[in-house]
PDB file of all heavy atoms in Angstrom:
ATOM      1  N   TYR A   1     159.175 -23.123  99.683  1.00  0.00           N
ATOM      2  CA  TYR A   1     160.043 -24.259  99.355  1.00  0.00           C
ATOM      3  C   TYR A   1     159.209 -25.534  99.452  1.00  0.00           C
ATOM      4  O   TYR A   1     158.663 -25.843 100.510  1.00  0.00           O
ATOM      5  CB  TYR A   1     161.225 -24.325 100.319  1.00  0.00           C
ATOM      6  CG  TYR A   1     162.369 -25.175  99.819  1.00  0.00           C
ATOM      7  CD1 TYR A   1     163.550 -24.604  99.381  1.00  0.00           C
ATOM      8  CD2 TYR A   1     162.269 -26.568  99.785  1.00  0.00           C
ATOM      9  CE1 TYR A   1     164.605 -25.377  98.919  1.00  0.00           C
ATOM     10  CE2 TYR A   1     163.307 -27.356  99.318  1.00  0.00           C
ATOM     11  CZ  TYR A   1     164.481 -26.755  98.894  1.00  0.00           C
ATOM     12  OH  TYR A   1     165.514 -27.529  98.426  1.00  0.00           O
ATOM     13  N   PRO A   2     159.092 -26.312  98.381  1.00  0.00           N
ATOM     14  CA  PRO A   2     158.183 -27.458  98.393  1.00  0.00           C
ATOM     15  C   PRO A   2     158.791 -28.707  99.004  1.00  0.00           C
ATOM     16  O   PRO A   2     159.959 -29.014  98.807  1.00  0.00           O
ATOM     17  CB  PRO A   2     157.903 -27.682  96.897  1.00  0.00           C
ATOM     18  CG  PRO A   2     159.180 -27.254  96.226  1.00  0.00           C
ATOM     19  CD  PRO A   2     159.698 -26.095  97.044  1.00  0.00           C
ATOM     20  N   HIS A   3     157.974 -29.436  99.741  1.00  0.00           N
ATOM     21  CA  HIS A   3     158.355 -30.757 100.225  1.00  0.00           C
ATOM     22  C   HIS A   3     158.404 -31.747  99.056  1.00  0.00           C
ATOM     23  O   HIS A   3     157.645 -31.628  98.090  1.00  0.00           O
ATOM     24  CB  HIS A   3     157.318 -31.282 101.227  1.00  0.00           C
ATOM     25  CG  HIS A   3     157.687 -31.066 102.652  1.00  0.00           C
ATOM     26  ND1 HIS A   3     158.604 -31.851 103.318  1.00  0.00           N
ATOM     27  CD2 HIS A   3     157.242 -30.170 103.557  1.00  0.00           C
ATOM     28  CE1 HIS A   3     158.712 -31.445 104.570  1.00  0.00           C
ATOM     29  NE2 HIS A   3     157.901 -30.420 104.742  1.00  0.00           N
ATOM     30  N   ASN A   4     159.275 -32.731  99.161  1.00  0.00           N
ATOM     31  CA  ASN A   4     159.242 -33.885  98.268  1.00  0.00           C
ATOM     32  C   ASN A   4     158.185 -34.836  98.821  1.00  0.00           C
ATOM     33  O   ASN A   4     158.439 -35.578  99.771  1.00  0.00           O
ATOM     34  CB  ASN A   4     160.613 -34.555  98.215  1.00  0.00           C
ATOM     35  CG  ASN A   4     160.648 -35.743  97.265  1.00  0.00           C
ATOM     36  OD1 ASN A   4     159.713 -36.539  97.209  1.00  0.00           O
ATOM     37  ND2 ASN A   4     161.744 -35.885  96.538  1.00  0.00           N
ATOM     38  N   LEU A   5     157.001 -34.782  98.265  1.00  0.00           N
ATOM     39  CA  LEU A   5     155.878 -35.557  98.804  1.00  0.00           C
ATOM     40  C   LEU A   5     156.048 -37.055  98.611  1.00  0.00           C
ATOM     41  O   LEU A   5     155.517 -37.853  99.388  1.00  0.00           O
ATOM     42  CB  LEU A   5     154.569 -35.094  98.162  1.00  0.00           C
ATOM     43  CG  LEU A   5     153.736 -34.064  98.923  1.00  0.00           C
ATOM     44  CD1 LEU A   5     153.211 -34.652 100.224  1.00  0.00           C
ATOM     45  CD2 LEU A   5     154.519 -32.811  99.203  1.00  0.00           C
ATOM     46  N   GLU A   6     156.788 -37.452  97.584  1.00  0.00           N
ATOM     47  CA  GLU A   6     157.034 -38.877  97.372  1.00  0.00           C
ATOM     48  C   GLU A   6     157.797 -39.456  98.566  1.00  0.00           C
ATOM     49  O   GLU A   6     157.465 -40.540  99.062  1.00  0.00           O
ATOM     50  CB  GLU A   6     157.825 -39.070  96.089  1.00  0.00           C
ATOM     51  CG  GLU A   6     157.995 -40.519  95.670  1.00  0.00           C
ATOM     52  CD  GLU A   6     158.740 -40.646  94.359  1.00  0.00           C
ATOM     53  OE1 GLU A   6     159.537 -39.724  94.021  1.00  0.00           O
ATOM     54  OE2 GLU A   6     158.548 -41.661  93.665  1.00  0.00           O
ATOM     55  N   GLU A   7     158.779 -38.717  99.042  1.00  0.00           N
ATOM     56  CA  GLU A   7     159.557 -39.146 100.202  1.00  0.00           C
ATOM     57  C   GLU A   7     158.688 -39.180 101.457  1.00  0.00           C
ATOM     58  O   GLU A   7     158.726 -40.140 102.233  1.00  0.00           O
ATOM     59  CB  GLU A   7     160.745 -38.207 100.407  1.00  0.00           C
ATOM     60  CG  GLU A   7     161.588 -38.521 101.618  1.00  0.00           C
ATOM     61  CD  GLU A   7     162.664 -37.480 101.873  1.00  0.00           C
ATOM     62  OE1 GLU A   7     162.604 -36.378 101.276  1.00  0.00           O
ATOM     63  OE2 GLU A   7     163.560 -37.777 102.685  1.00  0.00           O
ATOM     64  N   VAL A   8     157.893 -38.138 101.669  1.00  0.00           N
ATOM     65  CA  VAL A   8     157.023 -38.102 102.846  1.00  0.00           C
ATOM     66  C   VAL A   8     156.004 -39.234 102.795  1.00  0.00           C
ATOM     67  O   VAL A   8     155.705 -39.872 103.810  1.00  0.00           O
ATOM     68  CB  VAL A   8     156.315 -36.732 102.951  1.00  0.00           C
ATOM     69  CG1 VAL A   8     155.407 -36.698 104.172  1.00  0.00           C
ATOM     70  CG2 VAL A   8     157.324 -35.597 103.022  1.00  0.00           C
ATOM     71  N   ARG A   9     155.483 -39.517 101.593  1.00  0.00           N
ATOM     72  CA  ARG A   9     154.497 -40.583 101.439  1.00  0.00           C
ATOM     73  C   ARG A   9     155.077 -41.940 101.791  1.00  0.00           C
ATOM     74  O   ARG A   9     154.409 -42.784 102.429  1.00  0.00           O
ATOM     75  CB  ARG A   9     153.974 -40.593 100.006  1.00  0.00           C
ATOM     76  CG  ARG A   9     152.858 -41.599  99.710  1.00  0.00           C
ATOM     77  CD  ARG A   9     151.520 -41.095 100.196  1.00  0.00           C
ATOM     78  NE  ARG A   9     151.162 -41.546 101.517  1.00  0.00           N
ATOM     79  CZ  ARG A   9     150.102 -41.107 102.194  1.00  0.00           C
ATOM     80  NH1 ARG A   9     149.326 -40.169 101.683  1.00  0.00           N
ATOM     81  NH2 ARG A   9     149.827 -41.566 103.390  1.00  0.00           N
ATOM     82  N   ARG A  10     156.322 -42.184 101.390  1.00  0.00           N
ATOM     83  CA  ARG A  10     156.962 -43.471 101.721  1.00  0.00           C
ATOM     84  C   ARG A  10     157.034 -43.650 103.236  1.00  0.00           C
ATOM     85  O   ARG A  10     156.747 -44.737 103.760  1.00  0.00           O
ATOM     86  CB  ARG A  10     158.369 -43.534 101.115  1.00  0.00           C
ATOM     87  CG  ARG A  10     158.415 -43.907  99.644  1.00  0.00           C
ATOM     88  CD  ARG A  10     159.815 -44.350  99.236  1.00  0.00           C
ATOM     89  NE  ARG A  10     160.801 -43.299  99.446  1.00  0.00           N
ATOM     90  CZ  ARG A  10     161.180 -42.419  98.524  1.00  0.00           C
ATOM     91  NH1 ARG A  10     160.633 -42.474  97.310  1.00  0.00           N
ATOM     92  NH2 ARG A  10     162.086 -41.496  98.785  1.00  0.00           N
ATOM     93  N   ILE A  11     157.434 -42.583 103.914  1.00  0.00           N
ATOM     94  CA  ILE A  11     157.523 -42.649 105.382  1.00  0.00           C
ATOM     95  C   ILE A  11     156.140 -42.858 105.986  1.00  0.00           C
ATOM     96  O   ILE A  11     155.943 -43.692 106.877  1.00  0.00           O
ATOM     97  CB  ILE A  11     158.171 -41.365 105.928  1.00  0.00           C
ATOM     98  CG1 ILE A  11     159.613 -41.233 105.440  1.00  0.00           C
ATOM     99  CG2 ILE A  11     158.122 -41.341 107.456  1.00  0.00           C
ATOM    100  CD1 ILE A  11     160.240 -39.884 105.734  1.00  0.00           C
ATOM    101  N   ALA A  12     155.166 -42.085 105.497  1.00  0.00           N
ATOM    102  CA  ALA A  12     153.806 -42.176 106.037  1.00  0.00           C
ATOM    103  C   ALA A  12     153.208 -43.557 105.820  1.00  0.00           C
ATOM    104  O   ALA A  12     152.563 -44.115 106.725  1.00  0.00           O
ATOM    105  CB  ALA A  12     152.929 -41.107 105.388  1.00  0.00           C
ATOM    106  N   ASP A  13     153.429 -44.135 104.653  1.00  0.00           N
ATOM    107  CA  ASP A  13     152.844 -45.437 104.356  1.00  0.00           C
ATOM    108  C   ASP A  13     153.420 -46.537 105.240  1.00  0.00           C
ATOM    109  O   ASP A  13     152.719 -47.500 105.591  1.00  0.00           O
ATOM    110  CB  ASP A  13     153.059 -45.789 102.882  1.00  0.00           C
ATOM    111  CG  ASP A  13     152.120 -45.030 101.950  1.00  0.00           C
ATOM    112  OD1 ASP A  13     151.171 -44.411 102.461  1.00  0.00           O
ATOM    113  OD2 ASP A  13     152.350 -45.060 100.727  1.00  0.00           O
ATOM    114  N   ARG A  14     154.713 -46.408 105.598  1.00  0.00           N
ATOM    115  CA  ARG A  14     155.316 -47.419 106.467  1.00  0.00           C
ATOM    116  C   ARG A  14     154.646 -47.450 107.844  1.00  0.00           C
ATOM    117  O   ARG A  14     154.695 -48.462 108.545  1.00  0.00           O
ATOM    118  CB  ARG A  14     156.815 -47.155 106.635  1.00  0.00           C
ATOM    119  CG  ARG A  14     157.654 -47.540 105.445  1.00  0.00           C
ATOM    120  CD  ARG A  14     159.119 -47.741 105.826  1.00  0.00           C
ATOM    121  NE  ARG A  14     159.736 -46.543 106.356  1.00  0.00           N
ATOM    122  CZ  ARG A  14     160.374 -45.636 105.618  1.00  0.00           C
ATOM    123  NH1 ARG A  14     160.451 -45.796 104.296  1.00  0.00           N
ATOM    124  NH2 ARG A  14     160.934 -44.582 106.176  1.00  0.00           N
ATOM    125  N   HIS A  15     154.030 -46.331 108.222  1.00  0.00           N
ATOM    126  CA  HIS A  15     153.461 -46.224 109.564  1.00  0.00           C
ATOM    127  C   HIS A  15     151.948 -45.968 109.543  1.00  0.00           C
ATOM    128  O   HIS A  15     151.359 -45.660 110.592  1.00  0.00           O
ATOM    129  CB  HIS A  15     154.171 -45.114 110.329  1.00  0.00           C
ATOM    130  CG  HIS A  15     155.639 -45.364 110.492  1.00  0.00           C
ATOM    131  ND1 HIS A  15     156.155 -46.114 111.527  1.00  0.00           N
ATOM    132  CD2 HIS A  15     156.704 -44.989 109.729  1.00  0.00           C
ATOM    133  CE1 HIS A  15     157.481 -46.178 111.406  1.00  0.00           C
ATOM    134  NE2 HIS A  15     157.834 -45.504 110.330  1.00  0.00           N
ATOM    135  N   GLY A  16     151.330 -46.078 108.366  1.00  0.00           N
ATOM    136  CA  GLY A  16     149.881 -45.948 108.265  1.00  0.00           C
ATOM    137  C   GLY A  16     149.346 -44.563 108.555  1.00  0.00           C
ATOM    138  O   GLY A  16     148.273 -44.417 109.171  1.00  0.00           O
ATOM    139  N   LEU A  17     150.061 -43.528 108.118  1.00  0.00           N
ATOM    140  CA  LEU A  17     149.662 -42.146 108.391  1.00  0.00           C
ATOM    141  C   LEU A  17     149.006 -41.498 107.180  1.00  0.00           C
ATOM    142  O   LEU A  17     149.357 -41.771 106.039  1.00  0.00           O
ATOM    143  CB  LEU A  17     150.884 -41.297 108.778  1.00  0.00           C
ATOM    144  CG  LEU A  17     151.812 -41.793 109.874  1.00  0.00           C
ATOM    145  CD1 LEU A  17     152.889 -40.757 110.131  1.00  0.00           C
ATOM    146  CD2 LEU A  17     151.031 -42.086 111.146  1.00  0.00           C
ATOM    147  N   TRP A  18     148.078 -40.599 107.447  1.00  0.00           N
ATOM    148  CA  TRP A  18     147.603 -39.701 106.396  1.00  0.00           C
ATOM    149  C   TRP A  18     148.510 -38.470 106.361  1.00  0.00           C
ATOM    150  O   TRP A  18     149.265 -38.214 107.307  1.00  0.00           O
ATOM    151  CB  TRP A  18     146.143 -39.289 106.599  1.00  0.00           C
ATOM    152  CG  TRP A  18     145.783 -38.845 107.990  1.00  0.00           C
ATOM    153  CD1 TRP A  18     145.103 -39.543 108.942  1.00  0.00           C
ATOM    154  CD2 TRP A  18     146.130 -37.590 108.616  1.00  0.00           C
ATOM    155  NE1 TRP A  18     144.988 -38.819 110.103  1.00  0.00           N
ATOM    156  CE2 TRP A  18     145.610 -37.607 109.924  1.00  0.00           C
ATOM    157  CE3 TRP A  18     146.807 -36.459 108.187  1.00  0.00           C
ATOM    158  CZ2 TRP A  18     145.754 -36.540 110.811  1.00  0.00           C
ATOM    159  CZ3 TRP A  18     146.968 -35.390 109.064  1.00  0.00           C
ATOM    160  CH2 TRP A  18     146.445 -35.436 110.357  1.00  0.00           C
ATOM    161  N   ILE A  19     148.420 -37.695 105.252  1.00  0.00           N
ATOM    162  CA  ILE A  19     149.236 -36.485 105.091  1.00  0.00           C
ATOM    163  C   ILE A  19     148.334 -35.310 104.746  1.00  0.00           C
ATOM    164  O   ILE A  19     147.560 -35.373 103.787  1.00  0.00           O
ATOM    165  CB  ILE A  19     150.275 -36.629 103.965  1.00  0.00           C
ATOM    166  CG1 ILE A  19     151.240 -37.784 104.251  1.00  0.00           C
ATOM    167  CG2 ILE A  19     151.053 -35.328 103.763  1.00  0.00           C
ATOM    168  CD1 ILE A  19     152.134 -38.115 103.058  1.00  0.00           C
ATOM    169  N   ILE A  20     148.427 -34.246 105.535  1.00  0.00           N
ATOM    170  CA  ILE A  20     147.868 -32.952 105.149  1.00  0.00           C
ATOM    171  C   ILE A  20     149.043 -32.042 104.821  1.00  0.00           C
ATOM    172  O   ILE A  20     149.959 -31.891 105.633  1.00  0.00           O
ATOM    173  CB  ILE A  20     147.013 -32.332 106.273  1.00  0.00           C
ATOM    174  CG1 ILE A  20     145.748 -33.158 106.514  1.00  0.00           C
ATOM    175  CG2 ILE A  20     146.629 -30.883 105.917  1.00  0.00           C
ATOM    176  CD1 ILE A  20     144.910 -32.673 107.680  1.00  0.00           C
ATOM    177  N   GLU A  21     149.009 -31.462 103.636  1.00  0.00           N
ATOM    178  CA  GLU A  21     150.063 -30.554 103.200  1.00  0.00           C
ATOM    179  C   GLU A  21     149.554 -29.119 103.275  1.00  0.00           C
ATOM    180  O   GLU A  21     148.562 -28.777 102.633  1.00  0.00           O
ATOM    181  CB  GLU A  21     150.486 -30.880 101.766  1.00  0.00           C
ATOM    182  CG  GLU A  21     151.563 -29.957 101.215  1.00  0.00           C
ATOM    183  CD  GLU A  21     151.897 -30.245  99.764  1.00  0.00           C
ATOM    184  OE1 GLU A  21     151.073 -30.890  99.077  1.00  0.00           O
ATOM    185  OE2 GLU A  21     152.982 -29.823  99.313  1.00  0.00           O
ATOM    186  N   ASP A  22     150.217 -28.310 104.077  1.00  0.00           N
ATOM    187  CA  ASP A  22     149.925 -26.882 104.141  1.00  0.00           C
ATOM    188  C   ASP A  22     150.818 -26.205 103.104  1.00  0.00           C
ATOM    189  O   ASP A  22     152.011 -26.008 103.320  1.00  0.00           O
ATOM    190  CB  ASP A  22     150.213 -26.364 105.543  1.00  0.00           C
ATOM    191  CG  ASP A  22     149.938 -24.876 105.716  1.00  0.00           C
ATOM    192  OD1 ASP A  22     149.934 -24.148 104.704  1.00  0.00           O
ATOM    193  OD2 ASP A  22     149.763 -24.436 106.871  1.00  0.00           O
ATOM    194  N   ALA A  23     150.228 -25.866 101.966  1.00  0.00           N
ATOM    195  CA  ALA A  23     150.970 -25.246 100.862  1.00  0.00           C
ATOM    196  C   ALA A  23     150.576 -23.782 100.695  1.00  0.00           C
ATOM    197  O   ALA A  23     150.631 -23.238  99.592  1.00  0.00           O
ATOM    198  CB  ALA A  23     150.722 -26.007  99.571  1.00  0.00           C
ATOM    199  N   CYS A  24     150.198 -23.144 101.798  1.00  0.00           N
ATOM    200  CA  CYS A  24     149.744 -21.756 101.737  1.00  0.00           C
ATOM    201  C   CYS A  24     150.809 -20.817 101.178  1.00  0.00           C
ATOM    202  O   CYS A  24     150.490 -19.766 100.619  1.00  0.00           O
ATOM    203  CB  CYS A  24     149.311 -21.286 103.123  1.00  0.00           C
ATOM    204  SG  CYS A  24     147.818 -22.109 103.722  1.00  0.00           S
ATOM    205  N   HIS A  25     152.092 -21.192 101.318  1.00  0.00           N
ATOM    206  CA  HIS A  25     153.185 -20.375 100.794  1.00  0.00           C
ATOM    207  C   HIS A  25     153.610 -20.788  99.389  1.00  0.00           C
ATOM    208  O   HIS A  25     154.503 -20.159  98.830  1.00  0.00           O
ATOM    209  CB  HIS A  25     154.413 -20.505 101.702  1.00  0.00           C
ATOM    210  CG  HIS A  25     154.263 -19.889 103.046  1.00  0.00           C
ATOM    211  ND1 HIS A  25     155.290 -19.846 103.970  1.00  0.00           N
ATOM    212  CD2 HIS A  25     153.208 -19.281 103.651  1.00  0.00           C
ATOM    213  CE1 HIS A  25     154.878 -19.248 105.077  1.00  0.00           C
ATOM    214  NE2 HIS A  25     153.612 -18.915 104.908  1.00  0.00           N
ATOM    215  N   ALA A  26     152.994 -21.841  98.830  1.00  0.00           N
ATOM    216  CA  ALA A  26     153.657 -22.486  97.693  1.00  0.00           C
ATOM    217  C   ALA A  26     152.825 -22.791  96.452  1.00  0.00           C
ATOM    218  O   ALA A  26     153.156 -23.726  95.721  1.00  0.00           O
ATOM    219  CB  ALA A  26     154.321 -23.768  98.182  1.00  0.00           C
ATOM    220  N   PRO A  27     151.772 -22.051  96.125  1.00  0.00           N
ATOM    221  CA  PRO A  27     151.123 -22.324  94.835  1.00  0.00           C
ATOM    222  C   PRO A  27     152.089 -22.005  93.698  1.00  0.00           C
ATOM    223  O   PRO A  27     152.740 -20.967  93.692  1.00  0.00           O
ATOM    224  CB  PRO A  27     149.915 -21.374  94.835  1.00  0.00           C
ATOM    225  CG  PRO A  27     150.313 -20.267  95.745  1.00  0.00           C
ATOM    226  CD  PRO A  27     151.156 -20.905  96.819  1.00  0.00           C
ATOM    227  N   GLY A  28     152.208 -22.926  92.752  1.00  0.00           N
ATOM    228  CA  GLY A  28     153.137 -22.726  91.645  1.00  0.00           C
ATOM    229  C   GLY A  28     154.504 -23.337  91.873  1.00  0.00           C
ATOM    230  O   GLY A  28     155.331 -23.383  90.956  1.00  0.00           O
ATOM    231  N   ALA A  29     154.772 -23.822  93.089  1.00  0.00           N
ATOM    232  CA  ALA A  29     156.041 -24.491  93.369  1.00  0.00           C
ATOM    233  C   ALA A  29     156.011 -25.901  92.771  1.00  0.00           C
ATOM    234  O   ALA A  29     154.950 -26.457  92.483  1.00  0.00           O
ATOM    235  CB  ALA A  29     156.303 -24.554  94.863  1.00  0.00           C
ATOM    236  N   TRP A  30     157.180 -26.495  92.596  1.00  0.00           N
ATOM    237  CA  TRP A  30     157.272 -27.869  92.105  1.00  0.00           C
ATOM    238  C   TRP A  30     158.520 -28.544  92.643  1.00  0.00           C
ATOM    239  O   TRP A  30     159.449 -27.888  93.106  1.00  0.00           O
ATOM    240  CB  TRP A  30     157.268 -27.918  90.570  1.00  0.00           C
ATOM    241  CG  TRP A  30     158.340 -27.093  89.908  1.00  0.00           C
ATOM    242  CD1 TRP A  30     158.217 -25.807  89.450  1.00  0.00           C
ATOM    243  CD2 TRP A  30     159.703 -27.480  89.639  1.00  0.00           C
ATOM    244  NE1 TRP A  30     159.403 -25.367  88.921  1.00  0.00           N
ATOM    245  CE2 TRP A  30     160.337 -26.379  89.015  1.00  0.00           C
ATOM    246  CE3 TRP A  30     160.449 -28.640  89.865  1.00  0.00           C
ATOM    247  CZ2 TRP A  30     161.675 -26.408  88.631  1.00  0.00           C
ATOM    248  CZ3 TRP A  30     161.786 -28.679  89.468  1.00  0.00           C
ATOM    249  CH2 TRP A  30     162.370 -27.571  88.853  1.00  0.00           C
ATOM    250  N   TRP A  31     158.509 -29.859  92.609  1.00  0.00           N
ATOM    251  CA  TRP A  31     159.652 -30.664  93.016  1.00  0.00           C
ATOM    252  C   TRP A  31     159.798 -31.810  92.022  1.00  0.00           C
ATOM    253  O   TRP A  31     158.926 -32.047  91.187  1.00  0.00           O
ATOM    254  CB  TRP A  31     159.461 -31.179  94.444  1.00  0.00           C
ATOM    255  CG  TRP A  31     158.172 -31.899  94.674  1.00  0.00           C
ATOM    256  CD1 TRP A  31     156.955 -31.347  94.950  1.00  0.00           C
ATOM    257  CD2 TRP A  31     157.960 -33.313  94.601  1.00  0.00           C
ATOM    258  NE1 TRP A  31     155.993 -32.318  95.062  1.00  0.00           N
ATOM    259  CE2 TRP A  31     156.586 -33.538  94.865  1.00  0.00           C
ATOM    260  CE3 TRP A  31     158.787 -34.414  94.367  1.00  0.00           C
ATOM    261  CZ2 TRP A  31     156.026 -34.813  94.876  1.00  0.00           C
ATOM    262  CZ3 TRP A  31     158.234 -35.683  94.392  1.00  0.00           C
ATOM    263  CH2 TRP A  31     156.868 -35.871  94.641  1.00  0.00           C
ATOM    264  N   THR A  32     160.907 -32.537  92.089  1.00  0.00           N
ATOM    265  CA  THR A  32     161.208 -33.584  91.116  1.00  0.00           C
ATOM    266  C   THR A  32     161.111 -34.953  91.760  1.00  0.00           C
ATOM    267  O   THR A  32     161.727 -35.201  92.808  1.00  0.00           O
ATOM    268  CB  THR A  32     162.619 -33.388  90.538  1.00  0.00           C
ATOM    269  OG1 THR A  32     162.721 -32.060  90.003  1.00  0.00           O
ATOM    270  CG2 THR A  32     162.897 -34.395  89.438  1.00  0.00           C
ATOM    271  N   ASP A  33     160.337 -35.865  91.151  1.00  0.00           N
ATOM    272  CA  ASP A  33     160.146 -37.192  91.730  1.00  0.00           C
ATOM    273  C   ASP A  33     161.281 -38.144  91.343  1.00  0.00           C
ATOM    274  O   ASP A  33     162.243 -37.759  90.661  1.00  0.00           O
ATOM    275  CB  ASP A  33     158.772 -37.753  91.359  1.00  0.00           C
ATOM    276  CG  ASP A  33     158.629 -38.075  89.870  1.00  0.00           C
ATOM    277  OD1 ASP A  33     159.653 -38.161  89.156  1.00  0.00           O
ATOM    278  OD2 ASP A  33     157.480 -38.260  89.419  1.00  0.00           O
ATOM    279  N   SER A  34     161.162 -39.398  91.767  1.00  0.00           N
ATOM    280  CA  SER A  34     162.224 -40.376  91.555  1.00  0.00           C
ATOM    281  C   SER A  34     162.416 -40.752  90.093  1.00  0.00           C
ATOM    282  O   SER A  34     163.451 -41.325  89.721  1.00  0.00           O
ATOM    283  CB  SER A  34     161.937 -41.646  92.372  1.00  0.00           C
ATOM    284  OG  SER A  34     160.690 -42.207  92.000  1.00  0.00           O
ATOM    285  N   GLU A  35     161.438 -40.414  89.257  1.00  0.00           N
ATOM    286  CA  GLU A  35     161.556 -40.672  87.823  1.00  0.00           C
ATOM    287  C   GLU A  35     162.024 -39.450  87.054  1.00  0.00           C
ATOM    288  O   GLU A  35     162.068 -39.462  85.823  1.00  0.00           O
ATOM    289  CB  GLU A  35     160.203 -41.151  87.269  1.00  0.00           C
ATOM    290  CG  GLU A  35     159.728 -42.470  87.880  1.00  0.00           C
ATOM    291  CD  GLU A  35     158.393 -42.905  87.330  1.00  0.00           C
ATOM    292  OE1 GLU A  35     157.776 -42.125  86.566  1.00  0.00           O
ATOM    293  OE2 GLU A  35     157.953 -44.020  87.665  1.00  0.00           O
ATOM    294  N   GLY A  36     162.379 -38.385  87.793  1.00  0.00           N
ATOM    295  CA  GLY A  36     162.861 -37.174  87.148  1.00  0.00           C
ATOM    296  C   GLY A  36     161.764 -36.274  86.617  1.00  0.00           C
ATOM    297  O   GLY A  36     162.048 -35.329  85.872  1.00  0.00           O
ATOM    298  N   LYS A  37     160.519 -36.515  87.032  1.00  0.00           N
ATOM    299  CA  LYS A  37     159.397 -35.715  86.557  1.00  0.00           C
ATOM    300  C   LYS A  37     159.073 -34.611  87.561  1.00  0.00           C
ATOM    301  O   LYS A  37     159.109 -34.830  88.769  1.00  0.00           O
ATOM    302  CB  LYS A  37     158.157 -36.591  86.355  1.00  0.00           C
ATOM    303  CG  LYS A  37     158.336 -37.663  85.294  1.00  0.00           C
ATOM    304  CD  LYS A  37     157.081 -38.525  85.179  1.00  0.00           C
ATOM    305  CE  LYS A  37     157.256 -39.613  84.134  1.00  0.00           C
ATOM    306  NZ  LYS A  37     156.047 -40.502  84.066  1.00  0.00           N
ATOM    307  N   GLN A  38     158.738 -33.436  87.047  1.00  0.00           N
ATOM    308  CA  GLN A  38     158.346 -32.331  87.915  1.00  0.00           C
ATOM    309  C   GLN A  38     156.918 -32.533  88.413  1.00  0.00           C
ATOM    310  O   GLN A  38     156.023 -32.836  87.625  1.00  0.00           O
ATOM    311  CB  GLN A  38     158.458 -31.000  87.174  1.00  0.00           C
ATOM    312  CG  GLN A  38     159.878 -30.576  86.880  1.00  0.00           C
ATOM    313  CD  GLN A  38     159.958 -29.201  86.232  1.00  0.00           C
ATOM    314  OE1 GLN A  38     158.945 -28.530  86.038  1.00  0.00           O
ATOM    315  NE2 GLN A  38     161.177 -28.772  85.901  1.00  0.00           N
TER     316      GLN A  38
END
């Protein structure tokens, strides 16, 4: 199940954090951004 990275990025940027995404379960997964793009 993929994270919405746009949402996580907004939170991270407010607090100056980097993001490591462990996608070991999720090659080929996708999510939809705020512009409706996969």
Side-chain angles (χ1 to χ4, degrees):
Y1 198 107
H3 263 282
N4 182 319
L5 264 295
E6 187 178 26
E7 177 186 14
V8 180
R9 184 79 266 172
R10 279 197 300 267
I11 296 170
D13 284 348
R14 284 201 299 269
H15 299 274
L17 309 183
W18 47 256
I19 300 170
I20 293 175
E21 179 184 19
D22 180 338
C24 292
H25 291 184
W30 56 266
W31 53 277
T32 305
D33 68 16
S34 59
E35 298 179 354
K37 297 178 181 177
Q38 291 184 2

